[in-house]
Every structure is written in C-alpha cells, then in structure tokens.
Amino acid sequence: MASRFPILCICLSPFSLSMFCVSVCQLMQRSCRQVTLLAAPSRYWSSIPVAPPSLQPRLLLFLSQRFHDIETILSWSSWFKNRGLRQKNLFAGQSEWFRSDRRGKFNWDFMNHRDTSIEEVDVSNTLINYTGLENLVKQRGLCTLSVSGCAEVDDWFLSRLHIFQDTLEELDISNCPRISVGGLAALQKLRGLRRLDVSSLPRLQNPGLVAILLEEMLPHCHVTAIGYDHSLIYSHTQTDG
Amino acid sequence: MILSLLGRSALRPNRNNNIFLNTDLENQFKAFREKAADAMPGSDWTPFEKNRSLPPERADIVIVGGGVVGWSIAYWLKQKEMIRDGVRVLVVERDPTYSQASTVLSAGGIRQQFSLPENIHLSMISADFMRNINEHLSVLNEDPVDLQFNHSGYLFLASEKVAHIMEENYRTQRYAGAKVSLLSTTQLKEKCPWINTDGVVLASYGLENEGWFDPWMLLNAFRRKAISMGVYQCFGEVTGFRYTTNTMTTAEGDTVDFRRIKYANVQMPNSLEYQPVECAIVVNAAGAFSGKVAEMMGIGLGLKDTIAGIPLPVEPRKRFIYVVHCPNGPGLDTPFLVDYSGVYFRREGLGGNYIAGMSPEEEEEPETNNLEVDHQFFQKIWPHLAHRVPAFECLKVTSAWAGFYDYNTFDQNGIVGMHPLVNNMFFATGFSGHGLQHSPAVGRAMAELILDGGFKTLDLSAFSFKRIMTKEPMLERNIV
C-alpha cells in the first residue's frame, strides 16, 4: 500500500490547485471510495480561472466531513496555530515587560536595572497564557497585574498567580472569556489583594453570587463586577385549568 | 495502479451522450475494486448476515473496560501509531449506562500530595494534560472540552502521630516538583477561619494543579476523540478467552505454563450471542472487576506456591459519598479537606452543598455485591466533620451514592505492565481510588509500553507485576 500521507508529496502552489485536487481525489479513492463526490469538486475547481488563496470555510467543512485527509490537514493547521500562539506568548510577555511602568522611567536601559523589581505589569489584550507567566515568575515585587481582555487567560493562569501571593494588590481580569468559577476559587491564595476586577466575564453564570462569595473569601479586597445584567427574568407559565 | 488510471480517464470531460456509458463503467470498476479488497484476508467481509452491534472479528488490541483508563489507553494508542490505521483498537465495555463504573461515581479530585514519587509524577503529568486538554482532545468542528476544573487545592491535616510522615512526604513532593506548602496551626487558622484546629499540628496545602473536575467530561472527551481517530467501541462482556499454552520445564523440574491469548469472547448484553475476537494483545482495564477478567485466564488458579497461583490482588471495595447541605459552611475557598481521621469533604457548586466521605476500617468494609448506600455509615462521619468544622454541626444529608474502588489489596498502588505467564495480557488497574487522576499519564505509559516496547517518558516499571510475585509492596501512605 502506498504511503498514507499523500498530502506531503503534493506541491501546494495555487497554480496547480486543480491538479492537486484531482490527485488528492485519486489517492483518497483508496481510503474513502466515494467516487460520485470526486467528480463534483474537480469540476468546481476547473471552472474557476484563478484558484482562491483561502478556501471557503463551508466548503472545507463539507470536504472535511468526507475525507479523512482534509480533516488531518485542518487539525494540523489548528495545531500550528497553537504552536504559533506559544511562540507569540514569549514575545508578547517580554515586549509588555519592556514597556511596563517602572515609576516613570523610560526603560530602554532596563538591562542595567535588572535587579530592581517590577511593580506593575499591564498585559491587557495580549495572547498571554499560562506559559507566558514564566517571564513574570522572577518578579517577586509585583503589585499590579492587568490581563484584561486576554483571550488565552484561563483558570490555570489564575491558579499560577499564587507566586505573587504576598505582594499582589491589584488584579484586573475583566473580559477574559475563558475564566470560570473554578479559577476564581484559586484566587484565595492572594491574601494581599485589595482590588479585584471581575467585570464582564462571559462564562460566569451567577455573577452576583460569585461577586458576593469572592468578597467573603477575600475580606480586605474590593471586588468590582460591572457589565453584568443583574435584572430578574420573569417567565409567564400557562397553566391549564 | 491500472485501476486508478482507468478511474482517472473516466473523469475527463466527454460529450453528453457518452457520459452515461462512462459513469456506468466507472460504477462497475468501483464495485469490482470493492469486491477485490473484500476478498483479501484481513477485511471484515463475511458471507453471512451480521449483527451490527457485534465487535469486528479481528482487532489488534482489545481493551477490556471502557472507563477513563481504558479510553485513555485507546486514545494514546491511536495518538502514537505511526501510520493511520496502524493498530485496530477495540474497547469493550459491559455497561452502556456506566451505572457501576468507578469513573463516573468518583469525587473527581486530583492531587500531587502522595508519598511515592511515581504517583506524584503521574499526577503532575495528568494535570499538565488537563491544562492543555483542548490541544490533545479537541475534535474538529465540535465543542471544546470543558472539565469544569476547580483549582481549590487539597488540604491535608496531620495530628502529632503522623506529622513526621507529612513532613517526609512534603520533602518528596517538593523534590519531585510539586507545588505544596506546609502550614502551621496559626497559619491554618488564618487561612481557613472556619476550621477548628484542635488536634492538628501540621497541614499541607497544594498550591497548583490540585482540585477537582468533572470525570464524566473527561471520559467523554477521551471517548469522543478516540472514536474520531478510529477506535472501535463495543458494548458487551468479555466472558472468556481462547488461548494456546506452551509448557516449559524449569531447572528444578517444575512445569510452567505460558499462555498466549488468541481469541477474546465478547458476549452481547442480554443475549447468548458472542463474538470471538481474534486479537494480538489484551489490556485489562476493567477496574474493580479486573480480578474476574484475570481469573478467566487462569491467573491465580494454579498451585499455591507457583507464580500461576498468585491471583491479581484487585478487588472491588465499596465507598460512599454523601451530599450535604450546610447554609453557613465554608465559602468559595474551601479546599478538598482531608482530615487525619480519614474523613474528607469538598465544596460542590455555589449553593452551600458539600460532598463528604470516609474510608472505612478494614474490618468494617461493606459488601460489594451491590451499590446500595448505607446511611448509617454517615453517623460515623458526622462527628468528625462537626469536630473539624463547627459550622457542620447543623447540616442535612440531601443525597448519597456509592461506587467501587479498584482496590489493590497488596499495596494500594496501580498495577501496570505485562503478566509474566500470560504473554500478551497487559494490566492497567488496581489504582485504589486514583485511577481517574492518573488516567492520562497511565494511558500514555501503556501506549508506550505496547507500541514502543518500553516506557519512554515516565518509568512505571515500579508498578509492574513483579513486586507482587516477589512480595515487595510499594506502599502509598497517603491513601484517602
């Protein structure tokens, strides 16, 4: 049997896209045996004069449901994106660190002040995640951390914040779509926390209750939780007499 | 080659009146190709009518047991195979409702606070896996996996008698890389004002990678991903094996029987119909019922002093979990608290509910022929709970359930590896209450053992069957 990774042997230049599809279809014949569908995509491609550089998502979905190989390609692409994410994290973490507020000093000369600790870090709206915290681990004197709007910050990130448990005073985790109650429970270790912002966390089902529980858990901390709809929902039920 | 050329020529555009002739020819060629492939040995075609729910007639690896350990092994086997469809994996599960499976009845905790370094590493690797679970187990165009992981950590309390053990364990845990901290009584009181620190001299708290999650989500994530990678699932019971025996004589003149499994008989539920599945390797991941599966191979049924006479020391032990409601109990920061008396409890949800349990003494082990809950047992737990947390003096039991531990009576640690006398049966069982939290790492280790011939990333040779033969227990001191 020929190799099961036919895609690797095929050149993916856009000019040969139609040839690509035909040869891909040939090879998939052996794995999928759906001949009737082959004719349709190959005719589709040959009618387009210039192959589009990005495939339509719907067509991709259609194809991926029928051909295992395309499914593999798509999962590779998401795996590459994850890897890219990890690489970006290092840079994102570091570049924010360069620009952090160090008591008014412009820090192009941060290298000379390596031993002074950083007090405030603002990495809002970046791709920082759990591994990105590696860069911040050394900063024992961190007082303020803002990760508002970071799409990759999740509960594991919060559980790792225990490194700053003695010094962290202000934490802003608003608008992070991946945080849920389980991660907020991990904030109990931050005993020095004075201000916590948990506004607009989409995954919280009972934001009012969670805000109250957080205030109980961290008695000296002021919890801000805006951006939620706290109104009661009335539902009318019809009862049959 | 010729067939594919013929296929390609059929795709060239033709005049209208020739299209029908060409598609008909194409269909005939396709039918011919399919018949030729079916006639080759190794295909699934049989001339008789087949019951669709029967497993395939041939499989490379049969995993007995569809719990989280079984599906984790199936996933990792597919993950590690070098070519697509390199191994055909079949997971056989007796109960489609999972009503007695230990996985779904578990409290769902994960901790690194063990005394054996291997257990600590297993937990750390599993926690890493769960952190990146969507990288591993997400299926294209399906919802991402959400384990509902609560990162509240485990809090172990030690009395004076066992404080030195806790300190020793702390050193082992820190050396292995786990993030644990020791708390004195005053620090404990500061952290958890709702605790009564009477009798407690030392506490150990896990800072990271500890907490609890939803075991059903993890099981389904493994199952969904494994099925999407081509693992066969069959609901049926393995009732026996067909094996060949190879008798050899030792230097002293004793005979030893080496067995090799050829067929695993899978019986359909509520039916006498069974399918003998020809297999190369059988993995025993049947959890609490692994002892019975091992007996089918004659493990333990030999003469008293021989290796064949040593049974698999895994038996089911019933454990109860009670759901209690206490309006003034500890809040969001409640860790998974384990007292030195053996009582444990953790928070469940946000409404003042907690789940609590206790491991009974050896003499008081409940019967294991059913999963009925003994509500009288709670009367033994309550005094300890109320003593430790005064708010629990007024609580109400709202619900309870029971589940089995796959209890390793020898040393309460997992048994991972091959059997010395049955050449192609592997074990991944006997975890005595930690199977769920170690399942991702154990799955990977088993896949490495089967496909690569040895452990690559984590050496679990300490958990092999050998220690049972040489009667050298590896005791885990931090059992809950």
PDB file of all heavy atoms in Angstrom, chain B residues 31-48:
ATOM      1  N   ALA B  31     -17.260  -1.222  -8.116  1.00  0.00           N
ATOM      2  CA  ALA B  31     -17.775  -2.425  -7.460  1.00  0.00           C
ATOM      3  C   ALA B  31     -16.726  -3.535  -7.499  1.00  0.00           C
ATOM      4  O   ALA B  31     -16.529  -4.285  -6.530  1.00  0.00           O
ATOM      5  CB  ALA B  31     -19.061  -2.874  -8.152  1.00  0.00           C
ATOM      6  N   PHE B  32     -16.038  -3.628  -8.657  1.00  0.00           N
ATOM      7  CA  PHE B  32     -15.008  -4.658  -8.797  1.00  0.00           C
ATOM      8  C   PHE B  32     -13.884  -4.440  -7.795  1.00  0.00           C
ATOM      9  O   PHE B  32     -13.387  -5.375  -7.163  1.00  0.00           O
ATOM     10  CB  PHE B  32     -14.474  -4.634 -10.237  1.00  0.00           C
ATOM     11  CG  PHE B  32     -13.338  -5.594 -10.452  1.00  0.00           C
ATOM     12  CD1 PHE B  32     -13.568  -6.956 -10.510  1.00  0.00           C
ATOM     13  CD2 PHE B  32     -12.032  -5.128 -10.569  1.00  0.00           C
ATOM     14  CE1 PHE B  32     -12.535  -7.838 -10.695  1.00  0.00           C
ATOM     15  CE2 PHE B  32     -10.995  -6.012 -10.757  1.00  0.00           C
ATOM     16  CZ  PHE B  32     -11.240  -7.373 -10.825  1.00  0.00           C
ATOM     17  N   ARG B  33     -13.468  -3.152  -7.649  1.00  0.00           N
ATOM     18  CA  ARG B  33     -12.409  -2.841  -6.698  1.00  0.00           C
ATOM     19  C   ARG B  33     -12.817  -3.207  -5.283  1.00  0.00           C
ATOM     20  O   ARG B  33     -12.039  -3.747  -4.502  1.00  0.00           O
ATOM     21  CB  ARG B  33     -12.053  -1.355  -6.757  1.00  0.00           C
ATOM     22  CG  ARG B  33     -11.034  -1.001  -7.792  1.00  0.00           C
ATOM     23  CD  ARG B  33     -10.479   0.393  -7.543  1.00  0.00           C
ATOM     24  NE  ARG B  33     -11.476   1.422  -7.655  1.00  0.00           N
ATOM     25  CZ  ARG B  33     -11.800   2.013  -8.790  1.00  0.00           C
ATOM     26  NH1 ARG B  33     -11.203   1.678  -9.917  1.00  0.00           N
ATOM     27  NH2 ARG B  33     -12.723   2.951  -8.823  1.00  0.00           N
ATOM     28  N   GLU B  34     -14.078  -2.885  -4.943  1.00  0.00           N
ATOM     29  CA  GLU B  34     -14.523  -3.180  -3.568  1.00  0.00           C
ATOM     30  C   GLU B  34     -14.530  -4.671  -3.310  1.00  0.00           C
ATOM     31  O   GLU B  34     -14.110  -5.134  -2.253  1.00  0.00           O
ATOM     32  CB  GLU B  34     -15.936  -2.618  -3.360  1.00  0.00           C
ATOM     33  CG  GLU B  34     -15.937  -1.141  -3.089  1.00  0.00           C
ATOM     34  CD  GLU B  34     -17.340  -0.627  -2.836  1.00  0.00           C
ATOM     35  OE1 GLU B  34     -18.283  -1.447  -2.796  1.00  0.00           O
ATOM     36  OE2 GLU B  34     -17.481   0.585  -2.682  1.00  0.00           O
ATOM     37  N   LYS B  35     -15.019  -5.440  -4.301  1.00  0.00           N
ATOM     38  CA  LYS B  35     -15.076  -6.898  -4.103  1.00  0.00           C
ATOM     39  C   LYS B  35     -13.673  -7.464  -3.955  1.00  0.00           C
ATOM     40  O   LYS B  35     -13.424  -8.357  -3.143  1.00  0.00           O
ATOM     41  CB  LYS B  35     -15.757  -7.559  -5.303  1.00  0.00           C
ATOM     42  CG  LYS B  35     -17.250  -7.458  -5.289  1.00  0.00           C
ATOM     43  CD  LYS B  35     -17.887  -8.628  -6.041  1.00  0.00           C
ATOM     44  CE  LYS B  35     -19.358  -8.333  -6.286  1.00  0.00           C
ATOM     45  NZ  LYS B  35     -19.652  -7.786  -7.607  1.00  0.00           N
ATOM     46  N   ALA B  36     -12.755  -6.940  -4.763  1.00  0.00           N
ATOM     47  CA  ALA B  36     -11.377  -7.452  -4.695  1.00  0.00           C
ATOM     48  C   ALA B  36     -10.783  -7.170  -3.321  1.00  0.00           C
ATOM     49  O   ALA B  36     -10.120  -8.021  -2.724  1.00  0.00           O
ATOM     50  CB  ALA B  36     -10.534  -6.819  -5.794  1.00  0.00           C
ATOM     51  N   ALA B  37     -11.051  -5.966  -2.794  1.00  0.00           N
ATOM     52  CA  ALA B  37     -10.495  -5.630  -1.474  1.00  0.00           C
ATOM     53  C   ALA B  37     -11.122  -6.501  -0.393  1.00  0.00           C
ATOM     54  O   ALA B  37     -10.455  -6.908   0.551  1.00  0.00           O
ATOM     55  CB  ALA B  37     -10.734  -4.150  -1.172  1.00  0.00           C
ATOM     56  N   ASP B  38     -12.420  -6.778  -0.539  1.00  0.00           N
ATOM     57  CA  ASP B  38     -13.081  -7.588   0.482  1.00  0.00           C
ATOM     58  C   ASP B  38     -12.567  -9.014   0.477  1.00  0.00           C
ATOM     59  O   ASP B  38     -12.589  -9.697   1.493  1.00  0.00           O
ATOM     60  CB  ASP B  38     -14.599  -7.611   0.231  1.00  0.00           C
ATOM     61  CG  ASP B  38     -15.258  -6.352   0.783  1.00  0.00           C
ATOM     62  OD1 ASP B  38     -14.644  -5.727   1.665  1.00  0.00           O
ATOM     63  OD2 ASP B  38     -16.353  -6.015   0.337  1.00  0.00           O
ATOM     64  N   ALA B  39     -12.153  -9.502  -0.695  1.00  0.00           N
ATOM     65  CA  ALA B  39     -11.728 -10.899  -0.763  1.00  0.00           C
ATOM     66  C   ALA B  39     -10.359 -11.089  -0.127  1.00  0.00           C
ATOM     67  O   ALA B  39      -9.992 -12.213   0.225  1.00  0.00           O
ATOM     68  CB  ALA B  39     -11.694 -11.357  -2.216  1.00  0.00           C
ATOM     69  N   MET B  40      -9.613  -9.998   0.017  1.00  0.00           N
ATOM     70  CA  MET B  40      -8.292 -10.127   0.619  1.00  0.00           C
ATOM     71  C   MET B  40      -8.443 -10.503   2.087  1.00  0.00           C
ATOM     72  O   MET B  40      -9.379 -10.073   2.751  1.00  0.00           O
ATOM     73  CB  MET B  40      -7.549  -8.782   0.535  1.00  0.00           C
ATOM     74  CG  MET B  40      -7.207  -8.378  -0.883  1.00  0.00           C
ATOM     75  SD  MET B  40      -5.830  -9.309  -1.470  1.00  0.00           S
ATOM     76  CE  MET B  40      -6.293  -9.572  -3.147  1.00  0.00           C
ATOM     77  N   PRO B  41      -7.525 -11.296   2.661  1.00  0.00           N
ATOM     78  CA  PRO B  41      -7.630 -11.618   4.092  1.00  0.00           C
ATOM     79  C   PRO B  41      -7.404 -10.364   4.930  1.00  0.00           C
ATOM     80  O   PRO B  41      -6.673  -9.485   4.542  1.00  0.00           O
ATOM     81  CB  PRO B  41      -6.512 -12.635   4.315  1.00  0.00           C
ATOM     82  CG  PRO B  41      -5.595 -12.469   3.179  1.00  0.00           C
ATOM     83  CD  PRO B  41      -6.399 -11.983   2.025  1.00  0.00           C
ATOM     84  N   GLY B  42      -8.022 -10.306   6.090  1.00  0.00           N
ATOM     85  CA  GLY B  42      -7.894  -9.127   6.940  1.00  0.00           C
ATOM     86  C   GLY B  42      -9.039  -8.149   6.751  1.00  0.00           C
ATOM     87  O   GLY B  42      -9.168  -7.210   7.514  1.00  0.00           O
ATOM     88  N   SER B  43      -9.870  -8.366   5.771  1.00  0.00           N
ATOM     89  CA  SER B  43     -11.016  -7.466   5.621  1.00  0.00           C
ATOM     90  C   SER B  43     -12.153  -7.990   6.480  1.00  0.00           C
ATOM     91  O   SER B  43     -12.110  -9.091   7.012  1.00  0.00           O
ATOM     92  CB  SER B  43     -11.454  -7.414   4.165  1.00  0.00           C
ATOM     93  OG  SER B  43     -12.251  -8.538   3.881  1.00  0.00           O
ATOM     94  N   ASP B  44     -13.202  -7.186   6.600  1.00  0.00           N
ATOM     95  CA  ASP B  44     -14.279  -7.530   7.519  1.00  0.00           C
ATOM     96  C   ASP B  44     -15.433  -8.255   6.859  1.00  0.00           C
ATOM     97  O   ASP B  44     -16.450  -8.473   7.470  1.00  0.00           O
ATOM     98  CB  ASP B  44     -14.819  -6.235   8.165  1.00  0.00           C
ATOM     99  CG  ASP B  44     -13.910  -5.774   9.270  1.00  0.00           C
ATOM    100  OD1 ASP B  44     -13.294  -6.624   9.911  1.00  0.00           O
ATOM    101  OD2 ASP B  44     -13.829  -4.554   9.482  1.00  0.00           O
ATOM    102  N   TRP B  45     -15.296  -8.583   5.595  1.00  0.00           N
ATOM    103  CA  TRP B  45     -16.455  -9.133   4.894  1.00  0.00           C
ATOM    104  C   TRP B  45     -16.679 -10.578   5.289  1.00  0.00           C
ATOM    105  O   TRP B  45     -15.756 -11.379   5.373  1.00  0.00           O
ATOM    106  CB  TRP B  45     -16.205  -9.041   3.396  1.00  0.00           C
ATOM    107  CG  TRP B  45     -17.340  -9.554   2.586  1.00  0.00           C
ATOM    108  CD1 TRP B  45     -18.499  -8.932   2.304  1.00  0.00           C
ATOM    109  CD2 TRP B  45     -17.414 -10.829   1.965  1.00  0.00           C
ATOM    110  NE1 TRP B  45     -19.297  -9.713   1.535  1.00  0.00           N
ATOM    111  CE2 TRP B  45     -18.653 -10.896   1.312  1.00  0.00           C
ATOM    112  CE3 TRP B  45     -16.550 -11.933   1.890  1.00  0.00           C
ATOM    113  CZ2 TRP B  45     -19.053 -11.999   0.596  1.00  0.00           C
ATOM    114  CZ3 TRP B  45     -16.963 -13.044   1.180  1.00  0.00           C
ATOM    115  CH2 TRP B  45     -18.213 -13.073   0.538  1.00  0.00           C
ATOM    116  N   THR B  46     -17.942 -10.910   5.564  1.00  0.00           N
ATOM    117  CA  THR B  46     -18.280 -12.320   5.764  1.00  0.00           C
ATOM    118  C   THR B  46     -19.491 -12.613   4.882  1.00  0.00           C
ATOM    119  O   THR B  46     -20.296 -11.721   4.634  1.00  0.00           O
ATOM    120  CB  THR B  46     -18.667 -12.625   7.216  1.00  0.00           C
ATOM    121  OG1 THR B  46     -19.843 -11.879   7.547  1.00  0.00           O
ATOM    122  CG2 THR B  46     -17.557 -12.250   8.169  1.00  0.00           C
ATOM    123  N   PRO B  47     -19.651 -13.864   4.453  1.00  0.00           N
ATOM    124  CA  PRO B  47     -20.793 -14.161   3.586  1.00  0.00           C
ATOM    125  C   PRO B  47     -22.115 -14.207   4.344  1.00  0.00           C
ATOM    126  O   PRO B  47     -23.174 -14.215   3.735  1.00  0.00           O
ATOM    127  CB  PRO B  47     -20.456 -15.542   3.007  1.00  0.00           C
ATOM    128  CG  PRO B  47     -19.521 -16.137   3.983  1.00  0.00           C
ATOM    129  CD  PRO B  47     -18.773 -15.023   4.616  1.00  0.00           C
ATOM    130  N   PHE B  48     -22.075 -14.212   5.692  1.00  0.00           N
ATOM    131  CA  PHE B  48     -23.314 -14.353   6.455  1.00  0.00           C
ATOM    132  C   PHE B  48     -23.803 -13.001   6.945  1.00  0.00           C
ATOM    133  O   PHE B  48     -23.054 -12.059   7.079  1.00  0.00           O
ATOM    134  CB  PHE B  48     -23.094 -15.270   7.661  1.00  0.00           C
ATOM    135  CG  PHE B  48     -22.494 -16.590   7.294  1.00  0.00           C
ATOM    136  CD1 PHE B  48     -21.202 -16.902   7.670  1.00  0.00           C
ATOM    137  CD2 PHE B  48     -23.207 -17.497   6.548  1.00  0.00           C
ATOM    138  CE1 PHE B  48     -20.639 -18.104   7.322  1.00  0.00           C
ATOM    139  CE2 PHE B  48     -22.649 -18.705   6.193  1.00  0.00           C
ATOM    140  CZ  PHE B  48     -21.364 -19.023   6.579  1.00  0.00           C
TER     141      PHE B  48
END
